[in-house]
Each structure stands twice: as structure tokens, then as C-alpha cells.
Amino acid sequence: MTAGAHIPDTQLGDHLQVGTHSLASRLIVGTGKYASYELMGEALALSGTDCITVAVRRERLVDARGQNILDFLDTSRYTLLPNTAGCFSAEDAVRVARLGREILFGLENPGADWVKLEVLADTKTLLPDPVATLQATELLVADGFQVLCYTSDDPIVARRLKQAGATSVMPAGSPIGSGQGILNPNNIRICLEYLKDGDPDYPVIVDAGVGTASDVTIAMELGVDGVLLNTGIAHATDPLQMALAMKAGIEAGRLAYLAGRIPKKLYATASSPETGTIAPKPR
Amino acid sequence: MKILVNGTPREVPETTTVADLLSQLEMTASHVAVEVNLELVPRARHHEFQLREADRLEVVTLVGGG
């Protein structure tokens, strides 16, 4: 038997399909909070991602260093996913989404037709405003966007967002930048059950809260289609090593999910034959 | 005439277009998007879009984000 025969077909050419976008990596990485643009570029490359998020902000009228992130990104290599981070109303989120689309059209980047929708409710928790997120989803879908919704892990809200036309629902594992990992795996499980009911290919992506590689693996083992993270790499002591760890974590989790884990049991089951032992068993 | 660019007052000549303003600000047109009074002005219209007294502009670009 050749080594290749051990690789399940599903793993060959495994990719993340989100609407019309086909991504080679199941890891989506943010571009914020790096110590330098050079470090960001290296970390993105090591993470194996081919999709990166960006934010839309006022151009500084006077920039002493004159640096723009676009001078440090190979936009032919990455599909950009513009976000609406920093918006606290549906109206502002729609404005920011349109501005992001305009810039990406100018760059001729394939990401011009989608948006990571983020409508926040307060600055302390950065938790999403579910009502405004739903309103913004409806408005953006009507405007032709493929909408990837950042939301809490509430399965009912997740289902409403899908019904409103979201291309992907992206429940948070825990608050943005908190590094707490997947706090409520049961809610993620229910989100998956509801969102994939009769629609197994519907993409569900865990967005936010990832602190380290095992968090990514746990999310993928639950059966989500991808993970979006930023701070976990950008603020690691060594972002480059962490980028490699996150890449390994996503692959491990995906493979383990496809492989199918053994059920958990209370008592032990021997791995070695129980018959033919030379030692007597205790009573 | 006086306009507001990213929240900062700015004096510009009467016949200034969006394209003129970006040029004055030495901004790379392909790196920015422009909104005038909350409405997006598509890049194709930058050359013909005349600014008016008290217009409020947002000139945005991409930055790192998650």
C-alpha cells in the first residue's frame, strides 16, 4: 500500500467554500496589531492563509512615515475581507462596507463583493448588537454583498442571520481579543446543527477569542468550516512561531473532525489483548 | 470655500473636484474611497464631482484589522 492511499479523498483538495469564494486554507487571519507591517507580512505567509481581513479607516491627512498597509500586502496573493469593525449602528456598517468595496474594486481584488459584518454594542465587551447586525445583514444582502456575520454564539441569532441571507455566520468563541478560546462548545455545536440542517455545506466560521493553537483545533474538531483570528498571532510573544502553530492547529482539527474521534467513556478499555497474559488478573 | 475633510476644516478653491482634493492631499487614488455628505462618490466620478461650501468628506483607506 502506498502512503498516499491513507489520505482520505476528502482531504485532497480540501478547501473552504464561502459563497463564491474558494479558499485553500481554512484559516482567515487579521492584519491588525502587529508590531510592524514587515512582521505582519511574514506571519501571514507562515500561517498558510490566503484570506486576510482589513479595516476601513480615515486616511490620515498628514502621515509622517507615509506608510500604507497596501504597500506591504501582495494583494494578488490574498483575498481581502474588509470588515466593518468600529461600527455601532447598521447605517454606519453599511457605509463602511460600501467604502471598503470601493477600495477593493480599485485594487481589483476578488474580495470586493464580500464583507465581514461587525456591528458592536459596547466598547467594553465588543459584543455584537444582534438587532443592528440583523438589520445591516438585510441591507447589505439587498445591496449585493456576500455577508459574513460576526455574531455571538447564540444559535437563535445565528439562525436568524442565515435566514436574512448571510453567506456565512461567524460565531465568536469568546470576546474579541480575549484569548479565552471556545467558552461554550455546546452553543457552537447547536449553531452548527441549526445552520447546517439540510444544508451541510453552509460555512460556519469561528471568529474571535482564539488564544492559542489548541483553541483553533478545538473549534475545528467541533466541525466548523474555518477559524478567523488576529490577536492570537499578532500579540503572541513570537508571532512567527504562533503563525506556524495556528496553521498546524487548523490542519490537526480538520483532520481529526474528518477522521471521527472515539466516544468518551467513563472507564478504561485495554489497548493490549486481555487474553494470553502470563500474570493473573486481580479479582 | 470651507469644507470638512475627515473632521478637519480645510479651505479649498471654488471649483475643486474630489480628484483635485486627493491630488492636493497627495493621496493615491487607488488606495482610498471618498464619501461626500454620507454618500459614496465612486472613483469614476472623482474628476467630475464638484465640491460645495460646507461639504463633509470622509477619505478612507485600508488599515490592519481583524
Side-chain angles (χ1 to χ4, degrees), chain A residues 60-81:
Chain A
R60 285 160 295 178
L61 299 180
V62 180
D63 179 359
R65 299 177 72 190
Q67 288 191 332
N68 186 297
I69 192 172
L70 291 169
D71 297 326
F72 294 84
L73 284 177
D74 179 358
T75 54
S76 66
R77 173 176 180 167
Y78 299 108
T79 298
L80 302 185
L81 175 56

mmCIF file of all heavy atoms in Angstrom, chain A residues 60-81:
data_model
loop_
_atom_site.group_PDB
_atom_site.id
_atom_site.type_symbol
_atom_site.label_atom_id
_atom_site.label_comp_id
_atom_site.label_asym_id
_atom_site.label_seq_id
_atom_site.Cartn_x
_atom_site.Cartn_y
_atom_site.Cartn_z
ATOM 1 N N ARG A 60 -5.105 59.315 7.221
ATOM 2 C CA ARG A 60 -4.512 60.418 7.982
ATOM 3 C C ARG A 60 -4.059 61.496 6.997
ATOM 4 O O ARG A 60 -3.411 61.201 5.997
ATOM 5 C CB ARG A 60 -3.330 59.912 8.799
ATOM 6 C CG ARG A 60 -3.790 59.124 10.011
ATOM 7 C CD ARG A 60 -2.679 58.236 10.522
ATOM 8 N NE ARG A 60 -2.352 57.213 9.543
ATOM 9 C CZ ARG A 60 -1.371 56.324 9.721
ATOM 10 N NH1 ARG A 60 -0.646 56.361 10.798
ATOM 11 N NH2 ARG A 60 -1.141 55.416 8.802
ATOM 12 N N LEU A 61 -4.438 62.725 7.275
ATOM 13 C CA LEU A 61 -4.141 63.793 6.324
ATOM 14 C C LEU A 61 -2.648 64.090 6.294
ATOM 15 O O LEU A 61 -2.109 64.497 5.289
ATOM 16 C CB LEU A 61 -4.943 65.047 6.675
ATOM 17 C CG LEU A 61 -6.454 64.823 6.618
ATOM 18 C CD1 LEU A 61 -7.199 66.095 6.975
ATOM 19 C CD2 LEU A 61 -6.884 64.345 5.241
ATOM 20 N N VAL A 62 -2.006 63.885 7.429
ATOM 21 C CA VAL A 62 -0.554 64.043 7.459
ATOM 22 C C VAL A 62 0.021 62.778 8.095
ATOM 23 O O VAL A 62 -0.232 62.485 9.255
ATOM 24 C CB VAL A 62 -0.134 65.273 8.299
ATOM 25 C CG1 VAL A 62 1.384 65.401 8.300
ATOM 26 C CG2 VAL A 62 -0.783 66.533 7.753
ATOM 27 N N ASP A 63 0.737 61.996 7.327
ATOM 28 C CA ASP A 63 1.341 60.774 7.850
ATOM 29 C C ASP A 63 2.855 60.892 7.694
ATOM 30 O O ASP A 63 3.385 60.808 6.599
ATOM 31 C CB ASP A 63 0.822 59.554 7.076
ATOM 32 C CG ASP A 63 1.448 58.250 7.570
ATOM 33 O OD1 ASP A 63 2.284 58.301 8.478
ATOM 34 O OD2 ASP A 63 1.088 57.203 7.030
ATOM 35 N N ALA A 64 3.506 61.088 8.815
ATOM 36 C CA ALA A 64 4.945 61.333 8.789
ATOM 37 C C ALA A 64 5.694 60.200 8.073
ATOM 38 O O ALA A 64 6.607 60.449 7.292
ATOM 39 C CB ALA A 64 5.465 61.483 10.208
ATOM 40 N N ARG A 65 5.284 58.959 8.343
ATOM 41 C CA ARG A 65 6.013 57.838 7.760
ATOM 42 C C ARG A 65 5.489 57.504 6.358
ATOM 43 O O ARG A 65 6.160 56.828 5.593
ATOM 44 C CB ARG A 65 5.904 56.613 8.663
ATOM 45 C CG ARG A 65 6.506 56.850 10.035
ATOM 46 C CD ARG A 65 6.333 55.646 10.936
ATOM 47 N NE ARG A 65 7.188 54.534 10.538
ATOM 48 C CZ ARG A 65 7.086 53.314 11.031
ATOM 49 N NH1 ARG A 65 6.145 53.034 11.902
ATOM 50 N NH2 ARG A 65 7.903 52.358 10.637
ATOM 51 N N GLY A 66 4.294 57.996 6.057
ATOM 52 C CA GLY A 66 3.744 57.780 4.729
ATOM 53 C C GLY A 66 3.483 56.315 4.410
ATOM 54 O O GLY A 66 3.424 55.934 3.242
ATOM 55 N N GLN A 67 3.342 55.490 5.450
ATOM 56 C CA GLN A 67 3.152 54.060 5.190
ATOM 57 C C GLN A 67 1.682 53.723 5.034
ATOM 58 O O GLN A 67 0.832 54.227 5.754
ATOM 59 C CB GLN A 67 3.735 53.236 6.342
ATOM 60 C CG GLN A 67 5.248 53.243 6.370
ATOM 61 C CD GLN A 67 5.789 52.204 7.339
ATOM 62 O OE1 GLN A 67 5.147 51.853 8.319
ATOM 63 N NE2 GLN A 67 6.979 51.719 7.051
ATOM 64 N N ASN A 68 1.398 52.845 4.100
ATOM 65 C CA ASN A 68 0.040 52.331 3.920
ATOM 66 C C ASN A 68 0.158 50.820 3.862
ATOM 67 O O ASN A 68 1.076 50.281 3.231
ATOM 68 C CB ASN A 68 -0.563 52.884 2.616
ATOM 69 C CG ASN A 68 -2.027 52.489 2.458
ATOM 70 O OD1 ASN A 68 -2.355 51.309 2.358
ATOM 71 N ND2 ASN A 68 -2.908 53.473 2.445
ATOM 72 N N ILE A 69 -0.774 50.135 4.529
ATOM 73 C CA ILE A 69 -0.719 48.672 4.590
ATOM 74 C C ILE A 69 -0.667 48.067 3.185
ATOM 75 O O ILE A 69 -0.071 47.021 2.958
ATOM 76 C CB ILE A 69 -1.923 48.118 5.402
ATOM 77 C CG1 ILE A 69 -1.709 46.634 5.731
ATOM 78 C CG2 ILE A 69 -3.240 48.332 4.665
ATOM 79 C CD1 ILE A 69 -2.733 46.067 6.680
ATOM 80 N N LEU A 70 -1.275 48.783 2.222
ATOM 81 C CA LEU A 70 -1.328 48.250 0.854
ATOM 82 C C LEU A 70 0.062 48.180 0.220
ATOM 83 O O LEU A 70 0.276 47.414 -0.724
ATOM 84 C CB LEU A 70 -2.265 49.100 -0.003
ATOM 85 C CG LEU A 70 -3.731 48.972 0.397
ATOM 86 C CD1 LEU A 70 -4.573 50.025 -0.297
ATOM 87 C CD2 LEU A 70 -4.249 47.575 0.082
ATOM 88 N N ASP A 71 1.008 48.952 0.760
ATOM 89 C CA ASP A 71 2.379 48.879 0.243
ATOM 90 C C ASP A 71 3.096 47.628 0.762
ATOM 91 O O ASP A 71 4.185 47.303 0.305
ATOM 92 C CB ASP A 71 3.165 50.128 0.649
ATOM 93 C CG ASP A 71 2.560 51.391 0.054
ATOM 94 O OD1 ASP A 71 2.038 51.306 -1.079
ATOM 95 O OD2 ASP A 71 2.577 52.434 0.729
ATOM 96 N N PHE A 72 2.481 46.946 1.743
ATOM 97 C CA PHE A 72 3.132 45.784 2.358
ATOM 98 C C PHE A 72 2.385 44.478 2.103
ATOM 99 O O PHE A 72 2.762 43.436 2.603
ATOM 100 C CB PHE A 72 3.270 46.006 3.872
ATOM 101 C CG PHE A 72 4.193 47.131 4.206
ATOM 102 C CD1 PHE A 72 3.728 48.442 4.215
ATOM 103 C CD2 PHE A 72 5.533 46.903 4.475
ATOM 104 C CE1 PHE A 72 4.584 49.497 4.503
ATOM 105 C CE2 PHE A 72 6.391 47.942 4.768
ATOM 106 C CZ PHE A 72 5.916 49.247 4.779
ATOM 107 N N LEU A 73 1.293 44.567 1.338
ATOM 108 C CA LEU A 73 0.495 43.368 1.079
ATOM 109 C C LEU A 73 0.541 43.033 -0.400
ATOM 110 O O LEU A 73 0.347 43.909 -1.232
ATOM 111 C CB LEU A 73 -0.971 43.613 1.458
ATOM 112 C CG LEU A 73 -1.345 43.602 2.928
ATOM 113 C CD1 LEU A 73 -2.833 43.928 3.058
ATOM 114 C CD2 LEU A 73 -1.042 42.264 3.570
ATOM 115 N N ASP A 74 0.793 41.761 -0.696
ATOM 116 C CA ASP A 74 0.681 41.301 -2.076
ATOM 117 C C ASP A 74 -0.795 40.965 -2.303
ATOM 118 O O ASP A 74 -1.259 39.893 -1.954
ATOM 119 C CB ASP A 74 1.568 40.065 -2.286
ATOM 120 C CG ASP A 74 1.466 39.546 -3.716
ATOM 121 O OD1 ASP A 74 0.692 40.126 -4.504
ATOM 122 O OD2 ASP A 74 2.160 38.564 -4.025
ATOM 123 N N THR A 75 -1.517 41.946 -2.868
ATOM 124 C CA THR A 75 -2.970 41.761 -2.983
ATOM 125 C C THR A 75 -3.339 40.760 -4.071
ATOM 126 O O THR A 75 -4.509 40.408 -4.215
ATOM 127 C CB THR A 75 -3.686 43.106 -3.248
ATOM 128 O OG1 THR A 75 -3.095 43.724 -4.389
ATOM 129 C CG2 THR A 75 -3.573 44.026 -2.053
ATOM 130 N N SER A 76 -2.341 40.283 -4.836
ATOM 131 C CA SER A 76 -2.644 39.222 -5.806
ATOM 132 C C SER A 76 -2.579 37.855 -5.124
ATOM 133 O O SER A 76 -3.078 36.865 -5.631
ATOM 134 C CB SER A 76 -1.662 39.270 -6.968
ATOM 135 O OG SER A 76 -0.353 38.962 -6.514
ATOM 136 N N ARG A 77 -1.975 37.817 -3.943
ATOM 137 C CA ARG A 77 -1.812 36.561 -3.222
ATOM 138 C C ARG A 77 -2.972 36.294 -2.265
ATOM 139 O O ARG A 77 -3.321 35.149 -1.991
ATOM 140 C CB ARG A 77 -0.501 36.621 -2.438
ATOM 141 C CG ARG A 77 -0.257 35.465 -1.502
ATOM 142 C CD ARG A 77 1.119 35.610 -0.859
ATOM 143 N NE ARG A 77 1.380 34.517 0.051
ATOM 144 C CZ ARG A 77 2.577 34.258 0.560
ATOM 145 N NH1 ARG A 77 3.612 35.004 0.237
ATOM 146 N NH2 ARG A 77 2.749 33.259 1.389
ATOM 147 N N TYR A 78 -3.552 37.359 -1.736
ATOM 148 C CA TYR A 78 -4.594 37.222 -0.717
ATOM 149 C C TYR A 78 -5.931 37.775 -1.199
ATOM 150 O O TYR A 78 -5.982 38.822 -1.837
ATOM 151 C CB TYR A 78 -4.204 37.990 0.548
ATOM 152 C CG TYR A 78 -2.927 37.516 1.197
ATOM 153 C CD1 TYR A 78 -1.773 38.283 1.136
ATOM 154 C CD2 TYR A 78 -2.881 36.299 1.877
ATOM 155 C CE1 TYR A 78 -0.596 37.861 1.737
ATOM 156 C CE2 TYR A 78 -1.709 35.860 2.475
ATOM 157 C CZ TYR A 78 -0.571 36.642 2.406
ATOM 158 O OH TYR A 78 0.586 36.214 2.993
ATOM 159 N N THR A 79 -6.992 37.064 -0.849
ATOM 160 C CA THR A 79 -8.315 37.652 -0.976
ATOM 161 C C THR A 79 -8.528 38.498 0.268
ATOM 162 O O THR A 79 -8.420 37.997 1.386
ATOM 163 C CB THR A 79 -9.398 36.561 -1.064
ATOM 164 O OG1 THR A 79 -9.165 35.780 -2.237
ATOM 165 C CG2 THR A 79 -10.784 37.174 -1.137
ATOM 166 N N LEU A 80 -8.790 39.782 0.071
ATOM 167 C CA LEU A 80 -9.012 40.665 1.219
ATOM 168 C C LEU A 80 -10.468 40.549 1.665
ATOM 169 O O LEU A 80 -11.376 40.454 0.834
ATOM 170 C CB LEU A 80 -8.695 42.124 0.856
ATOM 171 C CG LEU A 80 -7.282 42.424 0.349
ATOM 172 C CD1 LEU A 80 -7.108 43.940 0.152
ATOM 173 C CD2 LEU A 80 -6.224 41.903 1.304
ATOM 174 N N LEU A 81 -10.653 40.547 2.975
ATOM 175 C CA LEU A 81 -12.001 40.537 3.546
ATOM 176 C C LEU A 81 -12.137 41.806 4.388
ATOM 177 O O LEU A 81 -11.660 41.853 5.520
ATOM 178 C CB LEU A 81 -12.200 39.272 4.403
ATOM 179 C CG LEU A 81 -13.511 39.158 5.182
ATOM 180 C CD1 LEU A 81 -14.719 39.272 4.275
ATOM 181 C CD2 LEU A 81 -13.556 37.839 5.966
#
